[in-house]
Amino acid sequence: MHVWFLLLVCVLTTIAQDLNTFGIGLSSQWLYPTETEILTHTLAPGSNFGVLTHFWTTGDPAIDQSTFSYYIDGESEPSIQFVTYMLAGAGFNDQTSPWGTKWIGKGAQSGGWYNNFRVPFQKSIRVTGKLPSTVMDKKIIWIIVRGTENLPTSFHGFQLPSNARLTLQKIENQTYDPLAWVRVVDIPTGHGLLLSHTLAVSSGNLNFLEGCYHAYTSHEQQFPGLIVSTGTEDYFDSAFYFNAGQFHFEVSGYSHFRQVSNNSLEWSAYRMHDLDPIFFTNGFRFEWRNGDVVDDRGFKCIVDQGGHVVGSPTQSIVTSYAWVYVW
Ligand SMILES: *[C@@H]1O[C@H](CO)[C@@H](O)[C@H](O)[C@H]1NC(C)=O
Ligand SMILES: *[C@@H]1O[C@H](CO)[C@@H](O)[C@H](O)[C@H]1NC(C)=O
């Protein structure tokens, strides 16, 4: 028993040494219109990889419009760059609060945005922030960023390879015609999984919600690929144009709606895929459609071109974030 006890202590000590938690908390400091350093962390000698585990910020309202960047392993261009409200799945800087899931949320009336996505790196991670170009002065910020070295990431039985990277694929304020395909993710080669997606749409009416999601789990797969949803609201775990109103679930949320005028509205929603990852093995495309069509029998999601339009979808202005692990 004595020997086993020593062995246990030994093992636990080794693990404790390896799981080095690092990070920063900056209280009432300044964010500038130029890129402002927040955190740089390089792995300790002997560590194999690290992972960011937490991001939180608040401060001047301009913080909400600021751009934050993650430079992974000495990148010159950051592979992850976001604004906080889209990071938290709330399009159009929706200020509804408090709400939260284990992954994302907003815990204060102003700011209080957080995110717990795991962001792996192999050597180093650098985090910066930058005010929007319309702001001339420095603004007050509180920010917390944290991570842990050698901490594996797993999703309900699947362990992320230690060389996996998290990438953010974005569409920002792009205009799409009715029935246009919106390529939310486009990854030509490699393995990976879709972790999370937030869609924010400004449109003439709600008929864009007819659009189905299609996953192409290898890049060259033909239409219809994997039909991921039977309409837009169905993908976000609601139905019938979200007729129960807004919600913030763990796995999905209907996070914003505003009728701007009689012929203009804003809408957003988020979806987490940690419980039902969509894996790919040889590149990946993830596509949404701005409205949709049915075939002669009245079936949707299976007609690529032609077909009968459902309702009267209009042009839409689309912002999309898709968080994808690749390896
Ligand atoms: C998209 O448009 C909105 C509304 O005009 C604006 O607030 C936002 O900054 C724009 N985003 C980008 C990335 O240009
Ligand atoms: C919006 O629609 C209502 C009802 O049809 C109408 O009374 C109102 O004048 C419209 N407003 C505008 C700004 O067009």
Side-chain angles (χ1 to χ4, degrees), residues 126-142:
R126 176 172 165 244
V127 178
T128 69
K130 186 177 181 296
L131 289 169
S133 51
T134 48
V135 177
M136 296 302 151
D137 255 344
K138 64 185 183 185
K139 296 290 180 190
I140 196 162
I141 186 171
W142 287 258

Side-chain angles (χ1 to χ4, degrees), residues 65 85 172-173:
Q65 308 287 348
Y85 55 92
E172 289 175 311
N173 289 340

Side-chain angles (χ1 to χ4, degrees), residues 8 51 64 89 99 135 194 205 273 288:
L8 185 67
V51 66
D64 289 357
W99 66 271
V135 177
L194 176 65
N205 61 54
H273 282 287
W288 173 71

Side-chain angles (χ1 to χ4, degrees), residues 152-266:
T153 294
S154 57
F155 300 105
H156 311 282
F158 170 75
Q159 182 161 331
L160 212 57
S162 65
N163 63 341
R165 306 171 75 88
L166 181 61
T167 59
L168 173 57
Q169 298 230 331
K170 284 184 298 190
I171 296 168
E172 289 175 311
N173 289 340
Q174 294 255 11
T175 301
Y176 291 87
D177 284 333
L179 306 181
W181 290 99
V182 178
R183 196 167 284 193
V184 166
V185 179
D186 190 353
I187 293 174
T189 58
H191 293 70
L193 71 90
L194 176 65
L195 174 71
S196 172
H197 170 47
T198 295
L199 186 67
V201 178
S202 149
S203 199
N205 61 54
L206 279 178
N207 288 153
F208 66 87
L209 292 177
E210 297 293 341
C212 303
Y213 276 94
H214 298 253
Y216 300 90
T217 57
S218 73
H219 196 267
E220 299 312 323
Q221 197 179 355
Q222 296 298 302
F223 181 86
L226 173 67
I227 298 173
V228 168
S229 83
T230 49
T232 305
E233 75 277 42
D234 309 2
Y235 172 72
F236 296 99
D237 291 327
S238 185
F240 304 113
Y241 283 24
F242 295 98
N243 66 4
Q246 292 183 46
F247 57 89
H248 294 97
F249 298 157
E250 284 288 318
V251 286
S252 52
Y254 167 23
S255 51
H256 180 79
F257 179 80
R258 186 166 78 96
Q259 190 76 49
V260 179
S261 70
N262 275 3
N263 53 13
S264 160
L265 56 83
E266 298 171 344

